[in-house]
Amino acid sequence: MRKILVSFLGILFFFCTSFAQAPKKNSSSEIYHAIQKLNFLGSALYIAAHPDDENTRLISYLSNEVKARTAYLSLTRGDGGQNLIGPELRELLGVLRTQELLAARRIDGGEQFFTRAVDFGYSKHPEETLKIWNKDTVLGDVVRMIRSFKPDVIINRFDHRTPGSTHGHHTSSAILSVAAFDLAGDPTSYPEQLGELNVWHPKRLFFNTSWWFYGSEEKFAAADKSNMLSFDIGIYYPMLGLSNNEIASLASSQHRCQGFGRLMSRGSENEYIELLKGDLPQDKKDVFDGIDTTWSRVEGGEAVGILLYGIEKNFNFKDPSTHVKELVQAHQMIQDITDTHWKTIKTKELEAIIASITGLYLEASSENPMANPGSSVTIDIEVLNRSNAKIKLKSMAIGDLISKDKDIVLANNVKHDLKFDLRVPDNISYTNPYWLNKKGTLGMYTVENPKLIGNPETPPAFMAHFNLDFDGYPITITKPVIHRYSKPDKGELYQPFEIMPEATARFEDKVIIFADGTPKNIPVTIKAHRDSIKGEVVFCYAQGWNVEQKSKPFSIAKKGDEQIVFFELTPPSHEDENYISPIIKINGKEIAKELVTIAYDHIPTQSVLLPSEAKVVRLDIQKAGEHIGYIVGAGDEVPTSLEQIGYQVHLIDPNSINAETLNNYGAIVVGIRAYNVVPELRFKQKYLLDYVANGGNLVIQYNTAGRWDAQYKDIAPYPLTLSRDRVTDENSRVDIIAKNHELVNYPNKITEADFKGWVQERGLYFPNEWDAHFTPILSMNDEGETAKTGGLLIAPYGKGNYIYTGLSFFRELPAGVPGAYKLFANMLSVGKENLKKKTPIKG
Ligand SMILES: [Zn+2]
């Protein structure tokens, strides 16, 4: 099965320009498909907010059935989501999800673009979203995208008319798209873009509606559809051996970090789009109806069309290389077309087709996966013609260097291996996601070079240009320089060739908490990116903090090896939050970056250089108890955070839960969404509640409502109903409504000030109904909403305390928020003031 899947994937790899995937090797039917696309001159742009919002059924349909040039503009890179497959969060999650989108597009045949907007987390309303994003800048990016991609039709995933009904980012994406549809054609809007770009008037704007937006299939069936187009997106493509919805399932299954892996769907299925702007097509099944999508669309295109439609009609599946002469002729004719937009696109497509039909294999692979500025690397060049076409390699160029060898005649299936010595310039930039090079804001990435805005990734460090001669006609085919290698357990692999600093340094912990004035030994891990480096690492810290030695030497013999250097850091005597960073000094050069590698099988390996730093927090925190039991849910870093303030945290295997195991601990904490994802808990709830009755503290963090299982209605010892209430504004006012309760007084006095500096949100899935045994401690709400008092609830049960909290401790503790630590310490300590009088519980 796996083998079949892999060959399916290969089918649609045709035109995408991923930089480090295995080169595409195209069969006749794939080449034919590419020629059909070459003969369609129309474009569609799909717009939504996040990676995984896009409707891959529709994107695949437009790309593979209609054969339009199709792209997805995702306003954000999905930094704010969760990650089901690894530790990457925030900007690193954005890098991973960018690659998942590119992997999806390689399958459905679309292209991928972004704006500079950051996915800053859940937002209830577009008004809030557009306050945190720079609305004008994001709108400008959408306008820029329309002006450069020049879509005939734009399709919004979301409805711009229903703010508040979905994520604020979603509605915002539709609002901005509707505005940009008109502004793109207006020369007075964003005039600074008009040097490089021209104004553009898209013809139609649609909303990709479905029954979901109507509440039920019945309501949608009854709805007026006179303004809608619909088409069967379950259509089967015999040329590809797949149906459209199968391709769509494969594509959306690339969103693995969001848990989108799914079965393929098959069979007839209707998709609906509702016209928002432009004229309603006569043919209600054709988005491009009435728009010229033939070669006649461009001046001078008619003659090209006659030639290329002829090839499409009489395509030679047994030996496509027989078309080389006509295709080269078409290439020559296209160069005379004055419409530079279509000329550029169709030239690129045609060159890929010419290379495919002649079985041309052109590769430039660095012997090393990375190089430092100022170094030299050997590039292995492979050149091979697998047809009887008369092709010569005239010369080669990488960067500024041109090979001066004489012409090489490329005879059928005779391979040429060449070497190219590349000197990497001293002043070359490191390869890094371009949107992470400069510090951004909460809502926006900073991009210095406007030409990069919209691009999914940073262009490769080096491109190899193969200057070829096709029977007297010159064509240059360009490939990125990559690194090809093999692993015994995986076979041949490709990865990007990258430019890296000579060494990078990092702190293992990004947040270091000092619960008192005791110094801590802070490890700095230095990684070498070339052989035999020597230097010193300087420890930078803020006033009030102190290290015993500010700078220490290091020396690493082998590239890839690491050395750990320790610095003893003493916190100030008072509470403080600050940052520390290591700076590496080698031969007068300073490097303040750390390297994060993101490696998964479904994406090319990503190297990300981030500013190397850690947050240090000096707390004045009191706590009772020492041993905490932790039942892991969907995964969070709370155990590590509790260890930082001196707790001994023991992870409890849910299967091992019984009366004896629990009694070893002063408190038991249940990780986020544990009742949603750990089925064993339904059989263990009795022991957990008995533990409380015997004097223990049980702290349950948020679980999601909705997917709630009736069997968990006894999640608490008294009735408790979870809701979808959430408070997303991390700066929203918090009132302590149970001021005298021990939970906000012992052992740490909690005040409103402890809710300053929280990140991303206050909390989610708060209970909205509870039994009288519960005491609500806090009240908070987002702007314009009623007070939510279910964020922190406590109920005495037997001799112990049951606590349910939807507060986002899983975000606040790893971010080093002092108030969150104090409140958590109180949840673990509450009721232990008179510990000695109670049933003995260790801890
Ligand atoms: Zn979304």
Side-chain angles (χ1 to χ4, degrees):
M1 183 57 213
R2 191 175 159 77
K3 200 174 156 198
I4 297 170
L5 191 81
V6 168
S7 65
F8 278 173
L9 293 177
I11 287 170
L12 297 153
F13 273 3
F14 206 88
F15 275 116
C16 2
T17 48
S18 172
F19 298 128
Q21 295 289 291
K24 296 122 212 154
K25 295 152 186 165
N26 297 299
S27 70
S28 287
S29 55
E30 289 151 7
I31 296 169
Y32 181 70
H33 184 71
I35 288 173
Q36 290 180 305
K37 289 196 66 145
L38 180 69
N39 285 337
F40 188 94
L41 284 76
S43 309
L45 182 63
Y46 197 86
I47 298 183
H50 306 120
D52 80 16
D53 284 345
E54 84 277 24
N55 180 347
T56 53
R57 295 182 304 272
L58 190 46
I59 290 174
S60 174
Y61 178 86
L62 292 166
S63 172
N64 296 306
E65 170 61 14
V66 179
K67 305 202 163 52
R69 185 170 176 246
T70 308
Y72 173 37
L73 172 60
S74 176
L75 262 48
T76 76
R77 296 176 186 266
D79 331 77
Q82 288 158 359
N83 183 356
L84 295 183
I85 59 170
E88 296 81 13
L89 286 173
R90 294 174 293 279
E91 66 267 52
L92 295 174
L93 183 62
V95 174
L96 170 56
R97 295 184 73 185
T98 295
Q99 290 300 322
E100 290 190 336
L101 274 179
L102 289 168
R105 296 297 82 80
R106 281 192 284 277
I107 292 165
D108 62 30
E111 295 174 49
Q112 184 60 51
F113 301 104
F114 295 92
T115 73
R116 284 172 283 176
V118 173
D119 174 5
F120 55 82
Y122 194 79
S123 170
K124 285 178 184 165
H125 205 277
E127 249 175 62
E128 183 207 9
T129 302
L130 294 172
K131 241 186 259 169
I132 295 176
W133 289 349
N134 184 327
K135 182 184 173 185
D136 277 352
T137 307
V138 183
L139 178 59
D141 285 1
V142 180
V143 168
R144 175 188 290 274
M145 209 58 247
I146 294 172
R147 285 171 173 172
S148 68
F149 189 76
K150 302 194 190 304
D152 298 303
V153 296
I154 296 177
I155 304 173
N156 293 346
R157 165 76 282 186
F158 298 103
D159 193 340
H160 63 290
R161 298 157 296 196
T162 52
S165 62
T166 175
H167 199 318
H169 297 177
H170 291 166
T171 314
S172 298
S173 74
I175 291 172
L176 296 179
S177 170
V178 170
F181 182 87
D182 295 324
L183 294 178
D186 176 358
T188 62
S189 106
Y190 299 97
E192 71 282 1
Q193 297 175 0
L194 293 175
E196 194 111 343
L197 302 169
N198 302 316
V199 293
W200 180 251
H201 299 273
K203 305 279 190 310
R204 292 180 186 128
L205 176 67
F206 296 95
F207 159 48
N208 184 193
T209 189
S210 80
W211 68 263
W212 189 85
F213 294 96
Y214 286 74
S216 75
E217 293 189 51
E218 292 70 34
K219 280 186 192 158
F220 185 59
D224 173 18
K225 298 194 185 62
S226 56
N227 213 23
M228 290 184 197
L229 274 64
S230 84
F231 20 78
D232 181 4
I233 51 78
I235 193 162
Y236 180 66
Y237 306 125
M239 294 290 301
L240 304 176
L242 281 169
S243 60
N244 188 71
N245 35 11
E246 286 177 305
I247 294 171
S249 311
L250 283 169
S252 64
S253 289
Q254 298 305 304
H255 296 302
R256 298 205 186 144
C257 71
Q258 303 305 299
F260 266 50
R262 58 179 167 118
L263 287 172
M264 288 204 229
S265 66
R266 279 175 283 275
S268 208
E269 235 179 292
N270 265 349
E271 189 71 44
Y272 292 86
I273 55 174
E274 178 195 344
L275 186 77
L276 299 176
K277 285 181 182 231
D279 62 316
L280 190 66
Q282 303 262 309
D283 179 352
K284 299 284 247 347
K285 286 183 178 339
D286 181 6
V287 264
F288 288 96
D289 185 42
I291 299 170
D292 188 359
T293 56
T294 70
W295 276 102
S296 312
R297 173 176 196 153
V298 292
E299 213 187 310
E302 223 142 316
V304 182
I306 291 169
L307 192 60
L308 291 178
Y309 294 129
I311 297 175
E312 184 178 336
K313 201 169 164 212
N314 301 305
F315 188 68
N316 185 344
F317 283 88
K318 282 191 180 164
D319 183 5
S321 74
T322 54
H323 297 295
V324 68
K325 215 173 157 188
E326 297 155 283
L327 288 170
V328 167
Q329 195 189 339
H331 189 282
Q332 199 163 359
M333 290 162 79
I334 289 173
Q335 302 322 300
D336 293 333
I337 288 178
T338 46
D339 182 330
T340 51
H341 177 69
W342 284 114
K343 179 171 134 182
T344 310
I345 293 164
K346 292 300 167 186
T347 298
K348 212 172 130 202
E349 288 181 14
L350 196 50
E351 285 170 357
I353 292 170
I354 291 170
S356 290
I357 60 156
T358 51
L360 254 187
Y361 194 88
L362 305 170
E363 183 174 280
S365 171
S366 162
E367 289 181 349
N368 295 312
M370 62 170 73
N372 311 126
S375 67
S376 291
V377 277
T378 302
I379 310 292
D380 293 319
I381 309 289
E382 187 178 334
V383 185
L384 174 61
N385 166 24
R386 289 172 288 186
S387 73
N388 286 320
K390 288 182 185 159
I391 311 174
K392 277 187 257 179
L393 177 66
K394 303 282 286 182
S395 66
M396 273 218 54
I398 300 179
D400 298 335
L401 294 172
I402 301 174
S403 71
K404 295 204 170 56
D405 297 335
K406 55 181 190 278
D407 295 2
I408 299 172
V409 176
L410 304 176
N412 191 349
N413 218 16
V414 178
K415 187 163 84 108
H416 298 267
D417 289 313
L418 315 168
K419 297 264 182 210
F420 201 104
D421 290 319
L422 177 67
R423 187 174 140 80
V424 180
D426 294 316
N427 59 355
I428 194 170
S429 310
Y430 303 132
T431 41
N432 197 38
Y434 68 86
W435 60 96
L436 298 179
N437 281 335
K438 280 264 150 15
K439 206 173 165 65
T441 63
L442 176 64
M444 297 300 298
Y445 283 120
T446 302
V447 177
E448 286 191 315
N449 179 358
K451 284 187 183 163
L452 292 173
I453 294 169
N455 283 5
E457 25 178 15
T458 305
F462 289 99
M463 299 297 286
H465 308 278
F466 298 83
N467 300 317
L468 301 161
D469 174 295
F470 287 78
D471 200 11
Y473 180 75
I475 293 179
T476 296
I477 293 183
T478 301
K479 303 266 178 185
V481 175
I482 44 78
H483 172 59
R484 178 169 70 122
Y485 62 110
S486 70
K487 275 187 177 173
D489 58 336
K490 295 211 163 146
E492 185 176 74
L493 295 166
Y494 283 78
Q495 70 181 60
F497 169 62
E498 295 176 307
I499 308 302
M500 285 289 137
E502 291 160 300
T504 49
R506 67 176 192 274
F507 294 115
E508 284 317 321
D509 294 317
K510 298 297 171 228
V511 173
I512 303 161
I513 309 287
F514 293 76
D516 52 37
T518 316
K520 282 189 179 187
N521 251 334
I522 312 292
V524 177
T525 307
I526 302 153
K527 184 167 182 144
H529 304 301
R530 71 163 167 82
D531 288 342
S532 59
I533 53 163
K534 264 195 182 95
E536 59 173 334
V537 53
V538 181
F539 193 97
C540 306
Y541 54 92
Q543 214 180 0
W545 297 73
N546 219 345
V547 293
E548 94 292 4
Q549 193 182 331
K550 286 179 187 173
S551 152
K552 291 187 177 179
F554 69 89
S555 150
I556 305 175
K558 277 243 131 323
K559 179 165 80 177
D561 281 357
E562 294 183 340
Q563 184 182 339
I564 300 176
V565 178
F566 288 90
F567 291 86
E568 194 185 271
L569 179 65
T570 307
S573 54
H574 50 85
E575 292 205 330
D576 191 35
E577 287 175 67
N578 244 304
Y579 287 87
I580 52 173
S581 58
I583 294 180
I584 292 176
K585 291 189 176 175
I586 304 169
N587 298 331
K589 221 189 229 177
E590 292 193 354
I591 304 159
K593 298 276 186 187
E594 75 165 296
L595 172 64
V596 183
T597 302
I598 305 175
Y600 294 99
D601 280 348
H602 65 307
I603 61 161
T605 298
Q606 300 295 299
S607 300
V608 186
L609 293 167
L610 296 174
S612 185
E613 61 178 19
K615 184 178 177 184
V616 286
V617 182
R618 164 71 159 97
L619 285 178
D620 207 349
I621 193 168
Q622 306 297 319
K623 58 189 182 54
E626 193 188 347
H627 292 272
I628 305 295
Y630 204 92
I631 301 169
V632 177
D636 54 67
E637 297 166 45
V638 172
T640 319
S641 300
L642 296 179
E643 280 171 353
Q644 287 232 20
I645 55 168
Y647 282 107
Q648 307 252 8
V649 182
H650 309 265
L651 299 184
I652 301 176
D653 172 6
N655 287 307
S656 76
I657 294 175
N658 59 43
E660 288 75 51
T661 47
L662 297 183
N663 277 338
N664 292 328
Y665 309 111
I668 304 286
V669 181
V670 182
I672 58 167
R673 301 205 305 282
Y675 289 88
N676 298 123
V677 300
V678 183
E680 291 86 353
L681 277 184
R682 78 178 58 169
F683 310 110
K684 303 294 186 180
Q685 187 68 0
K686 174 193 178 312
Y687 297 112
L688 289 168
L689 295 182
D690 284 351
Y691 163 81
V692 181
N694 288 328
N697 282 4
L698 180 62
V699 178
I700 306 211
Q701 299 177 80
Y702 94 92
N703 286 272
T704 58
R707 270 178 262 174
W708 199 245
D709 190 325
Q711 294 172 66
Y712 291 134
K713 63 181 187 297
D714 58 353
I715 186 173
Y718 312 108
L720 180 72
T721 308
L722 300 191
S723 76
R724 293 182 162 273
D725 286 352
R726 62 202 293 170
V727 178
T728 57
D729 180 359
E730 67 272 31
N731 298 313
S732 62
R733 183 195 156 104
V734 177
D735 290 311
I736 299 170
I737 52 175
K739 277 204 166 18
N740 298 322
H741 198 282
E742 193 188 351
L743 189 50
V744 282
N745 289 289
Y746 173 78
N748 302 291
K749 173 86 183 157
I750 302 294
T751 68
E752 272 81 12
D754 288 304
F755 295 92
K756 288 215 171 87
W758 283 46
V759 297
Q760 192 150 342
E761 63 191 353
R762 289 292 184 200
L764 62 175
Y765 294 103
F766 290 174
N768 63 349
E769 280 177 48
W770 48 84
D771 183 88
H773 287 89
F774 284 102
T775 304
I777 303 293
L778 307 171
S779 174
M780 60 194 80
N781 55 271
D782 281 325
E783 208 181 302
E785 297 194 350
T786 54
K788 306 285 181 281
T789 54
L792 177 58
L793 298 170
I794 181 165
Y797 180 63
K799 298 173 195 160
N801 284 293
Y802 175 95
I803 297 171
Y804 191 95
T805 180
L807 295 178
S808 294
F809 288 104
F810 70 104
R811 296 194 197 282
E812 313 308 323
L813 300 186
V817 176
Y821 274 93
K822 289 182 184 173
L823 189 52
F824 211 101
N826 281 15
M827 295 197 297
L828 302 174
S829 310
V830 67
K832 304 205 178 292
E833 200 163 7
N834 304 311
L835 200 60
K836 285 169 203 137
K837 294 179 206 159
K838 291 194 169 184
T839 316
I841 283 181
K842 201 165 90 186

